[in-house]
Amino acid sequence: MDTQLQLGDKRSAVHWHGIKLQARLEESAPGEPTTPSLALALEARLDTRLRNREIPQLRLSVAQQGSLSQSDFTLALLDTAESLQLELAGELSPETGEGEYHAQLRSLDLAFASSVVVPLLQKFDVLQQALVIDSGGFALDSQIRSREFTLEGLEQKSVLNIAGVSGSYGEYQFDGLDVSAAWQGVQRWQTLEPAELALARLNVGFEVVATRALLSLPQATEPARPLVTVDTFEAGMFGGRVYLSAPRRWDFASASNSATLRVEDWSLAEMVALQPGQDIQAQGVLEGELPVTLADGRIIIDKGFLRARAPGGKIRYMASAASE
């Protein structure tokens, strides 16, 4: 059978075309229990419009074979540019909902895939600022088991790898984002090992380089409001570094969180260079502590200190007519 199907309205619709469906009913062999087996194969191309925005054409293929007591199936969905690919395969009992599945979601061209996905996220108000991805890729691999047709009956283990992602978020530019994470759970997540995060460069008005962190969810927690343990954190800036001296818990369900960061080898000359249009000359190396609190979207540093490392330094300010 080769036909077409359209679902939706003028703003959002899915147009199925080039549909090819094959079905075959196989009877049991003589002498075996009467358990007929059904084999299905479906292929189609999908043209999708969401809120008046067209997304690249998708190719869908589905195959199933088995009985009501046990069936094998595969599903593949990818765009015509092959920038985003979803594969799902497994065994399922349609009678009880018991089964085992393997799911893979991959993108080798995240820049192209995000050019489609990001505008949709903005339309649905998921992103508060503009996100632009210039390069990178990711792979998500999940092993899933089900005991029944309910969310409570699902178990899963997933591994996520993000590599070489560069782009911008609002006014901030970033390069070389790598993430490696493994966790389990559906409604509550728990890491199987600390997640590793590395970021080569972040520009927030000044350069932050070589950021590295290890994060974990040692206890099962809701993914929307996780209780994260920051095992290690460090980043380079102003010619030196800032780091977390001991592990710290960060509760995203709390109105405020705090941590004390240590400062080493900050160049005073690089710090004063951030003041535009000022004739300031400085030399010296700083160290100290920064107690940081994040509350109501604000970053507060209270009772921190920076001090010059021996033998000290110098600051020279020459006032101009404009500054006077």
Side-chain angles (χ1 to χ4, degrees), residues 86-165:
L86 170 65
E87 295 181 354
L88 177 64
E91 299 178 351
L92 171 67
S93 170
E95 290 181 328
T96 65
E98 185 177 359
E100 295 186 1
Y101 326 96
H102 180 208
Q104 292 180 311
L105 179 62
R106 301 178 184 277
S107 176
L108 299 179
D109 186 359
L110 193 55
F112 181 85
S114 66
S115 68
V116 177
V117 175
V118 168
L120 295 175
L121 295 178
Q122 292 174 325
K123 278 183 173 291
F124 287 99
D125 298 324
V126 176
L127 292 175
Q128 303 302 316
Q129 299 189 64
L131 173 64
V132 177
I133 302 296
D134 297 324
S135 63
F138 80 93
L140 175 64
D141 195 301
S142 298
Q143 300 288 341
I144 306 168
R145 297 184 62 184
S146 64
R147 299 189 304 272
E148 55 190 23
F149 288 115
T150 64
L151 191 61
E152 291 75 14
L154 284 178
E155 302 174 0
Q156 72 86 29
K157 293 182 179 180
S158 294
V159 176
L160 172 67
N161 286 289
I162 299 174
V165 177

Side-chain angles (χ1 to χ4, degrees), residues 22-97:
Q22 295 179 337
R24 185 177 69 255
L25 183 63
E26 299 177 349
E27 297 292 341
S28 303
E32 294 184 358
T34 306
T35 54
S37 177
L38 178 65
L40 295 174
L42 170 67
E43 293 184 1
R45 299 191 302 274
L46 281 66
D47 292 327
T48 307
R49 182 174 65 254
L50 290 176
R51 292 192 175 183
N52 292 326
R53 182 176 181 87
E54 303 289 339
I55 70 173
Q57 187 180 90
L58 300 173
R59 297 201 300 266
L60 171 69
S61 63
V62 180
Q64 177 273 334
Q65 183 173 2
S67 65
L68 288 176
S69 60
Q70 190 67 44
S71 286
D72 299 332
F73 71 91
T74 60
L75 180 149
L77 184 67
L78 68 157
D79 62 12
T80 52
E82 298 187 2
S83 67
L84 196 63
Q85 180 175 349
L86 170 65
E87 295 181 354
L88 177 64
E91 299 178 351
L92 171 67
S93 170
E95 290 181 328
T96 65

Side-chain angles (χ1 to χ4, degrees), residues 2 12 53-54 90 98 106 113 126 128 154 180 194 211 227 233 285 287-288 294-295 321:
D2 190 340
S12 300
R53 182 176 181 87
E54 303 289 339
E98 185 177 359
R106 301 178 184 277
V126 176
Q128 303 302 316
L154 284 178
S180 176
T211 300
L227 180 60
F233 169 82
V285 177
E287 61 184 13
L294 181 64

Side-chain angles (χ1 to χ4, degrees), residues 206-228:
F206 57 90
E207 294 286 311
V208 181
V209 300
T211 300
R212 295 188 178 277
L214 288 178
L215 313 172
S216 59
L217 300 170
Q219 299 177 345
T221 182
E222 295 181 19
R225 299 186 300 174
L227 180 60
V228 178

Side-chain angles (χ1 to χ4, degrees), residues 8-9 56 58 94 105 125 155 169 172 176 178 185 197 210 218 236 270 290 301 318 320:
D9 54 27
L58 300 173
L105 179 62
D125 298 324
E155 302 174 0
Y169 182 64
Y172 305 143
D178 296 330
L197 180 147
E270 292 192 24
L290 300 177
I301 300 178
M318 298 180 64
S320 63

Side-chain angles (χ1 to χ4, degrees), residues 221-265:
T221 182
E222 295 181 19
R225 299 186 300 174
L227 180 60
V228 178
T229 297
V230 184
D231 298 298
T232 63
F233 169 82
E234 70 171 308
M237 61 180 70
F238 304 130
R241 68 169 184 148
V242 58
Y243 65 97
L244 192 65
S245 59
R248 182 71 180 177
R249 293 207 310 177
W250 200 271
D251 187 358
F252 283 85
S254 175
S256 66
N257 287 277
S258 61
T260 299
L261 299 176
R262 296 293 304 271
V263 170
E264 282 186 358
D265 300 331

